[in-house]
Amino acid sequence: MDWYPLLNSLRIAAISTVVVFFLGIAAAHWTARLPRAVKGALDVVLTLPLVLPPTVVGWLLLLLLGPKRPLGAWVQSVFGLRLVMTWQSAIFATVVVAFPLMYRTARGAFESFDQNLADAGRTLGRSNTWVFWRVQMPCCKQGILGGTVLAFARALGEYGATSMVAGYTPGRTDTISTTVYQLWRTGDDAGALGWVLANIALSAVFLLAINLLETRQRAGR
């Protein structure tokens, strides 16, 4: 059995999760302090990929990153890199679709944070950076971890946007999701079933992790 789709899926999901972790936390921390009206407008924009069909997200990415588009053409001419139809291309897709999960979960954690704790740290002469990393983040760690797990699971199972941006090339761009579709399309139901079961097992592990995090969070209250 060729394990490349599994390894490639894990690689793409891991890189995407790292990117989404920092982008989601930064966006959530910033928007949580904005006025309600501004926050509501930004929330719509930042959460939009969560409700858009993945194929629409993929199409929009192709408009931005395609080799005949300004950005894609410039990167290819200057750096000699293609932004689509490579395994790295799938990272763009998974970052976009997984970002809203990390953002919304982190924002909820930040909004429930007791600001009196941050004010106490500042009265002791600590900087805002110190207060954020040493006080706010530890207090919000359960929500942050939950968002991270959700983002990783979403990136691991992404198909629509990934198939449009990265395509399907065996041994180069194939992931679990795209492999299942290709095996089904060619009539290899046994092979497709094997990857489906593998995906179900991985998803079950991540769901169990989320449940454990939620249990620990409730127990700590």
Side-chain angles (χ1 to χ4, degrees), residues 128-139:
N128 289 333
T129 302
W130 189 94
V131 169
F132 176 76
W133 288 108
R134 301 298 295 273
V135 178
Q136 189 169 6
M137 283 292 286
C139 290

Side-chain angles (χ1 to χ4, degrees), residues 25-193:
I25 287 177
H29 184 255
W30 181 58
T31 57
R33 298 177 296 173
L34 294 175
R36 179 174 298 180
V38 179
K39 183 191 302 183
L42 276 176
D43 189 65
V44 170
V45 175
L46 296 176
T47 312
L48 196 58
L50 186 64
V51 296
L52 284 177
T55 50
V56 173
V57 174
W59 183 78
L60 292 173
L61 286 174
L62 286 176
L63 288 182
L64 179 66
L65 306 176
K68 295 184 179 180
R69 302 296 174 176
L71 178 59
W74 179 80
V75 171
Q76 187 167 354
S77 63
V78 175
F79 300 102
L81 300 174
R82 287 177 58 89
L83 297 182
V84 296
M85 301 307 157
T86 65
W87 74 264
Q88 294 92 339
S89 306
I91 297 174
F92 296 113
T94 51
V95 164
V96 172
V97 299
F99 171 82
L101 293 172
M102 185 69 208
Y103 160 71
R104 291 192 69 87
T105 307
R107 201 196 74 182
F110 289 148
E111 289 179 342
S112 63
F113 173 70
D114 186 358
Q115 289 297 328
N116 290 327
L117 297 176
D119 294 337
R122 295 187 186 97
T123 59
L124 296 175
R126 300 297 186 178
S127 65
N128 289 333
T129 302
W130 189 94
V131 169
F132 176 76
W133 288 108
R134 301 298 295 273
V135 178
Q136 189 169 6
M137 283 292 286
C139 290
C140 301
K141 65 180 180 180
Q142 297 298 332
I144 298 297
L145 288 174
T148 304
V149 173
L150 283 173
F152 184 85
R154 180 66 183 88
L156 185 65
E158 214 297 303
Y159 169 75
T162 298
S163 63
M164 294 189 68
V165 175
Y168 175 81
T169 304
R172 294 182 60 186
T173 66
D174 49 329
T175 63
I176 294 177
S177 300
T178 57
T179 299
V180 169
Y181 174 76
Q182 290 298 325
L183 291 174
W184 168 80
R185 191 175 65 85
T186 57
D188 187 356
D189 291 339
L193 177 60

